[in-house]
Amino acid sequence: MEGSREELQELKAWLFRENIRLEAAAKELKQMQEQFLKEKIQFQEEMKLLNRKAAGERQRLKEDNQFFEKKMEILQNGFRQLDLDRRRLDKEWARLTAEKDLLEEHGFYGTHAEVSVFFQGVRNPLALKKRYKDLIKIFHPDNVAGDKEVIQRINKEYERLKEHYEKEFKHA
């Protein structure tokens, strides 16, 4: 019986140690569950924050895309308008070239036709003289905008108009 008493003592000691070990394991498991729960809550909060940031970024991306689409539309409209303007100018250039060719063919271009534009609106000798002086200041060959050929044409037109006004005012 003594062997069984010793065995029983050993068994009681083993049960006691096992009970302590199980309580320690249960305590550790409970701590792990609490830690897991805290981490789960923290993870959920982080996920909510990331989802809000992602939603904000999606909204910003959508707004950027809309802004880009508007800018693209403005650019496309601008290019369309430029193309229309270019076509209109090409037609106008062709018309003016044809008109110039016609004038040259009939001997009108290169005489006083283009220079007479400078003297448009001049109705008397005083206005003619003032306009002539202004034109000389602008187109004198020593100036940046100066041109010897233009000055010669202006001089010819001035002399022609001056003679015209002298005849007109002598008869009046």
Side-chain angles (χ1 to χ4, degrees):
M1 281 243 188
E2 247 189 68
S4 60
R5 220 179 250 227
E6 280 179 24
E7 285 179 11
L8 189 60
Q9 283 297 333
E10 270 183 45
L11 193 56
K12 279 185 184 180
W14 179 82
L15 282 174
F16 180 74
R17 286 191 306 274
E18 193 61 24
N19 191 26
I20 290 175
R21 187 187 68 78
L22 287 176
E23 284 179 11
K27 197 177 200 183
E28 185 179 336
L29 182 61
K30 187 173 182 173
Q31 286 175 349
M32 288 174 70
Q33 283 176 335
E34 288 173 357
Q35 181 66 28
F36 175 75
L37 187 59
K38 286 178 186 177
E39 288 175 3
K40 180 181 172 184
I41 291 170
Q42 183 180 0
F43 177 75
Q44 287 173 340
E45 292 299 318
E46 288 174 4
M47 285 302 296
K48 286 178 187 177
L49 179 65
L50 288 174
N51 284 335
R52 282 194 298 268
K53 283 182 180 180
E57 287 298 312
R58 279 191 296 273
Q59 180 64 30
R60 187 189 60 77
L61 187 60
K62 181 181 174 184
E63 290 169 359
D64 286 352
N65 194 31
Q66 288 172 342
F67 182 66
F68 174 78
E69 292 296 326
K70 286 179 184 178
K71 284 172 46 174
M72 183 59 80
E73 183 181 338
I74 289 169
L75 283 173
Q76 288 172 341
N77 288 339
F79 283 125
R80 271 190 231 107
Q81 186 61 44
L82 282 173
D83 189 49
L84 290 173
D85 289 347
R86 183 188 53 78
R87 289 179 187 176
R88 183 183 51 79
L89 287 172
D90 286 346
K91 286 179 185 176
E92 181 68 16
W93 182 257
R95 185 188 67 75
L96 289 172
T97 303
E99 191 176 293
K100 177 184 170 236
D101 292 344
L102 185 63
L103 287 171
E104 282 178 347
E105 187 178 307
H106 289 82
F108 292 114
Y109 193 78
T111 56
H112 70 279
E114 73 267 8
V115 178
S116 65
V117 170
F118 291 132
F119 294 100
Q120 260 183 342
V122 173
R123 302 284 180 248
N124 61 54
L126 289 174
L128 177 66
K129 191 172 185 178
K130 179 169 180 0
R131 180 73 55 87
Y132 174 73
K133 285 182 179 183
D134 290 342
L135 289 171
I136 293 299
K137 288 177 188 173
I138 295 169
F139 290 103
H140 192 277
D142 292 341
N143 291 339
V144 175
D147 185 347
K148 184 178 177 181
E149 187 178 321
V150 173
I151 280 293
Q152 289 172 347
R153 290 181 181 177
I154 289 171
N155 286 333
K156 279 184 184 178
E157 184 67 13
Y158 172 70
E159 290 300 323
R160 188 185 70 77
L161 289 171
K162 188 169 116 178
E163 288 176 21
H164 171 74
Y165 285 125
E166 285 174 358
K167 288 179 189 176
E168 189 177 302
F169 281 97
K170 281 182 184 179
H171 293 323

